[in-house]
Amino acid sequence: MFAVVVSLVLLSAEAGSIRGREEGRTIAVKDVQADLQDAMEAVLRGDSASKRVANIEARVWQTFQALPKNEVGRLAPRGVRYLVHSYFMKEHGWLIKGLDPHGNQDEVSDVQDASILQDKAPALVESLLEARRSNHGLALNDVITMIATLERLIFDESFTLLQAAYNFNGVSMDGSVEQKSVHDVLTSYLLLFQLGNKGNLTDARLHRALKARVSQRDDWLVVDEFQRDAVLNHDFAKQSRSNPFVEPLYTFQDSSDIVEELAHGYGKWQNTECRQMKDDLMELDSDGDGRIPIGKFYGRSDNTKYQFTESLQYLQDIGALDESGSEKKVRISNYLQGPSNCIASSTYYSICCLSECDGLLNELEAKIGAPTVDPMHLLRLVGNMSSSTVDTPRQLPVFMAQRLKSIADQNGGGVPLHGRLFSEWLHYAFPNECPYPHILEAKTLTPSHWANKKVSVEPETRSELASTAAEEEDSLPKEIVWSSQEVLHVQETKKRSTSVFRTIMQLAVLLAVLRAAIGNWATLRSMVAPTKGKKCDDFQLPF
Ligand SMILES: *[C@@H]1O[C@H](CO)[C@@H](O)[C@H](O)[C@H]1NC(C)=O
Ligand SMILES: *[C@@H]1O[C@H](CO)[C@@H](O)[C@H](O)[C@H]1NC(C)=O
């Protein structure tokens, strides 16, 4: 269980539950539509977004190059989804609702079929952009707009939390305030951010009580330092514009800029905890193949920082349990990427451990620039690639070269970079970074699926499992478990193209609503200043 440092949320949740529960605050349909429209307009208008847009472009253009395109050189929906999902997972650790992992299913249900409107946000953005291209897929610029819009949407949500943080601390949103107040507001904001959907944005007493309680904890210092650093960075950036001899004052816009940095940087910041947990897990893996015997997994003593308490059923459902040998083992990379390590389930996303494997694949995409590649060239490239646990250069074993060759044979001569078989191969090349690609029911990989289910093991069962003796290690080279089922994640299936049309027709209705929303929706930003902190009637989160 992903615990301690930043998981102040656990204060109220019982141990072993998924931290970001889905209950609590919900958001009205019209608000989702309005937020989305708002976010998209802001991006298309280019409000202060050009720096971010350039940033996003630098991070995605090479992947875009490497993905298969349609006959007019654009990206089809599956490719778009892959690109956007992988960007958020590796840059922010954000698992965007509606862009959930596909579980290596050939027939992924369409995001458009999602039952909850906020899960449709990515699909809506995509469709709006598709409509501009007469449904012929997305160009690079469209994909960047889509990413920037989703980032914006998520940031706008943070903005609501910032307003609540001002109110809770009795700080005025008009004029300027001194630094101490900004620190108070930002720590409140971070607390609300971590509480995600469970947070209460109206009950000031409750908030103050909770804040008083968590600020007693040792790990509060880390949170405090995070916001202090952000304020320092902000001051530094503004230095040229302000008088160094005057104590700095902060407007609401200043706080809002700082919060934008906090929201964008949160995933990377919190990932240090994922790394510590990974180090702990790797200590339990004596032969370095990325798997831990269950006896050791459950056998951590209670005074260590991390104890792992997820049930066998959970591990099996998310594909982290390796049952191929005579003893069960837990796959480190599948476990780390699993939903029990995600936090702060907000309206549009959860924050999970950053995906190192997406980063590695990204490196390959950049070097290759095409959807398929010659196996021997690929082998040389991978032999030259390091990760947090693999040093270079290295000579991969002969059977790995043969596997790569057989993947190419199975796919007409080249290895598809975005297929299940290459993912499987990558797992064996980087067992601590790349999850084994089980074919799973996709929904088991999402935090919302587990929100109201029991994840943890009973204490007695845990001690029983902990006493499972690990087998004697033999030093012979091990056979790897290999499944030769290929699934091409970014290839459009025939069936899919008709369903794209169908869902676009369905969406037309929603889009009409969306367009109607323009005009009667003022941006949150512009509403704040004149309303003197009064909660705007238009924007209501039903409690
Ligand atoms: C927030 O607190 C108020 C006042 O205590 C309460 O009425 C409301 O139900 C709470 N909302 C949530 C989502 O818990
Ligand atoms: C491997 O890396 C070294 C050092 O970065 C570089 O000089 C060499 O060209 C690389 N080889 C391949 C095949 O990319």
Side-chain angles (χ1 to χ4, degrees):
M1 181 84 202
F2 189 4
V4 207
V5 181
V6 284
S7 55
L8 303 163
V9 180
L10 273 182
L11 281 175
S12 50
E14 71 274 28
S17 69
I18 298 262
R19 289 191 279 170
R21 290 204 173 236
E22 297 296 296
E23 62 213 26
R25 212 161 74 236
T26 55
I27 189 161
V29 167
K30 71 174 172 53
D31 292 337
V32 174
Q33 292 165 340
D35 285 357
L36 195 57
Q37 185 68 38
D38 202 31
M40 190 143 168
E41 304 230 308
V43 169
L44 292 173
R45 262 199 322 267
D47 288 3
S48 74
S50 52
K51 203 177 99 218
R52 284 221 62 79
V53 165
N55 230 311
I56 295 168
E57 177 167 10
R59 285 171 167 75
V60 301
W61 73 269
Q62 289 170 318
T63 305
F64 184 86
Q65 299 278 310
L67 286 167
K69 317 283 189 311
N70 62 17
E71 59 288 351
V72 285
R74 301 212 192 99
L75 216 51
R78 279 188 162 195
V80 171
R81 219 145 298 148
Y82 163 79
L83 182 50
V84 177
H85 169 82
S86 119
Y87 170 84
F88 282 114
M89 280 312 288
K90 70 177 205 299
E91 294 298 325
H92 298 307
W94 292 351
L95 183 60
I96 308 277
K97 296 183 184 173
L99 288 172
D100 302 319
H102 48 60
N104 291 290
Q105 295 289 337
D106 219 348
E107 281 303 322
V108 231
S109 63
D110 290 327
V111 250
Q112 286 92 340
D113 292 342
S115 54
I116 307 166
L117 186 74
Q118 55 247 38
D119 288 8
K120 292 190 190 208
L124 280 166
V125 181
E126 186 183 347
S127 305
L128 279 173
L129 293 164
E130 279 263 352
R132 302 200 310 177
R133 301 281 186 190
S134 334
N135 301 327
H136 285 124
L138 299 193
L140 178 59
N141 277 342
D142 301 324
V143 178
I144 295 167
T145 306
M146 179 167 170
I147 291 174
T149 302
L150 292 173
E151 272 188 356
R152 181 88 233 159
L153 186 68
I154 284 165
F155 172 65
D156 282 348
E157 199 185 23
S158 271
F159 193 78
T160 315
L161 301 184
L162 181 62
Q163 285 177 282
Y166 264 85
N167 288 332
F168 285 165
N169 288 282
V171 176
S172 164
M173 285 183 263
D174 301 318
S176 303
V177 296
E178 57 191 21
Q179 199 175 59
K180 159 124 193 10
S181 303
V182 173
H183 288 314
D184 288 342
V185 165
L186 292 177
T187 45
S188 284
Y189 161 80
L190 282 173
L191 191 53
L192 293 172
F193 186 83
Q194 291 178 348
L195 285 164
N197 277 347
K198 283 188 302 175
N200 188 325
L201 301 187
T202 51
D203 192 337
R205 269 227 330 247
L206 181 74
H207 177 82
R208 280 193 293 268
L210 187 62
K211 193 171 168 183
R213 202 143 51 98
V214 295
S215 57
Q216 300 298 315
R217 294 168 44 142
D218 295 343
D219 45 25
W220 180 253
L221 290 175
V222 188
V223 176
D224 198 39
E225 195 186 344
F226 180 48
Q227 61 86 14
R228 282 181 188 277
D229 281 351
V231 174
L232 279 178
N233 287 340
H234 172 83
D235 291 351
F236 184 75
K238 265 192 111 170
Q239 217 166 38
S240 56
R241 283 170 278 153
S242 60
N243 182 345
F245 300 107
V246 176
E247 158 122 48
L249 290 174
Y250 300 82
T251 61
F252 187 82
Q253 183 60 48
D254 290 323
S255 309
S256 155
D257 290 345
I258 297 171
V259 157
E260 184 157 5
E261 289 311 309
L262 288 177
H264 283 137
Y266 191 90
K268 278 193 173 141
W269 172 69
Q270 118 125 14
N271 198 54
T272 49
E273 194 175 353
C274 294
R275 263 194 246 119
Q276 286 170 15
M277 184 164 57
K278 180 175 169 182
D279 289 345
D280 267 31
L281 286 163
M282 285 177 59
E283 271 173 31
L284 303 176
D285 170 20
S286 46
D287 53 1
D289 64 357
R291 300 178 305 160
I292 304 165
I294 53 165
K296 286 189 181 171
F297 181 79
Y298 288 114
R300 303 272 292 172
S301 71
D302 289 344
N303 53 20
T304 47
K305 182 166 177 195
Y306 300 106
Q307 290 106 42
F308 305 107
T309 56
E310 286 86 348
S311 67
L312 280 178
Q313 185 65 51
Y314 165 83
L315 295 172
Q316 189 178 40
D317 285 356
I318 65 156
L321 198 62
D322 176 14
E323 299 175 276
S324 60
S326 54
E327 76 177 326
K328 294 187 169 93
K329 293 185 171 188
V330 179
R331 293 187 194 274
I332 295 175
S333 46
N334 290 72
Y335 173 78
L336 278 174
Q337 220 61 72
S340 69
N341 291 323
C342 300
I343 64 147
S345 189
S346 91
T347 312
Y348 301 108
Y349 68 110
S350 313
I351 297 176
C352 307
C353 293
L354 298 188
S355 166
E356 287 186 78
C357 197
D358 277 323
L360 291 167
L361 189 55
N362 218 222
E363 240 182 282
L364 285 171
E365 288 164 344
K367 288 184 179 136
I368 294 162
T372 57
V373 59
D374 170 71
M376 290 306 118
H377 180 48
L378 186 52
L379 192 68
R380 277 191 301 274
L381 290 176
V382 174
N384 225 1
M385 254 168 66
S386 58
S387 74
S388 57
T389 65
V390 169
D391 291 329
T392 50
R394 63 171 168 161
Q395 185 76 44
L396 285 148
V398 175
F399 71 83
M400 287 294 277
Q402 287 164 348
R403 286 282 176 216
L404 213 48
K405 180 85 175 39
S406 74
I407 298 173
D409 292 345
Q410 201 174 330
N411 284 287
V415 177
L417 284 179
H418 307 96
R420 199 199 78 87
L421 285 180
F422 184 58
S423 301
E424 189 172 3
W425 191 87
L426 268 184
H427 167 71
Y428 289 108
F430 299 96
N432 298 312
E433 284 76 43
C434 292
Y436 181 88
H438 283 284
I439 295 175
L440 294 170
E441 231 187 307
K443 66 171 195 280
T444 61
L445 295 172
T446 62
S448 54
H449 172 77
W450 294 98
N452 296 311
K453 296 189 179 61
K454 193 168 166 52
V455 172
S456 61
V457 66
E458 297 296 340
E460 310 86 70
T461 319
R462 180 170 163 231
S463 24
E464 235 168 78
L465 290 166
S467 60
T468 317
E471 279 176 0
E472 284 298 309
E473 305 282 343
D474 50 27
S475 51
L476 296 172
K478 280 175 294 273
E479 266 298 297
I480 60 171
V481 187
W482 188 263
S483 142
S484 53
Q485 185 169 349
E486 181 65 296
V487 180
L488 300 172
H489 312 136
V490 295
Q491 231 76 310
E492 289 302 310
T493 56
K494 278 277 177 307
K495 187 167 163 289
R496 183 80 177 47
S497 50
T498 59
S499 78
V500 169
F501 181 72
R502 181 177 55 83
T503 48
I504 282 177
M505 292 312 287
Q506 287 173 350
L507 276 170
V509 180
L510 267 175
L511 294 182
V513 182
L514 249 170
R515 292 202 186 91
I518 320 173
N520 62 24
W521 177 263
T523 69
L524 278 171
R525 241 172 228 278
S526 60
M527 285 186 312
V528 163
T531 50
K532 295 197 169 30
K534 169 178 144 302
K535 200 167 187 321
C536 175
D537 295 329
D538 252 2
F539 191 81
Q540 277 173 349
L541 294 166
F543 288 103

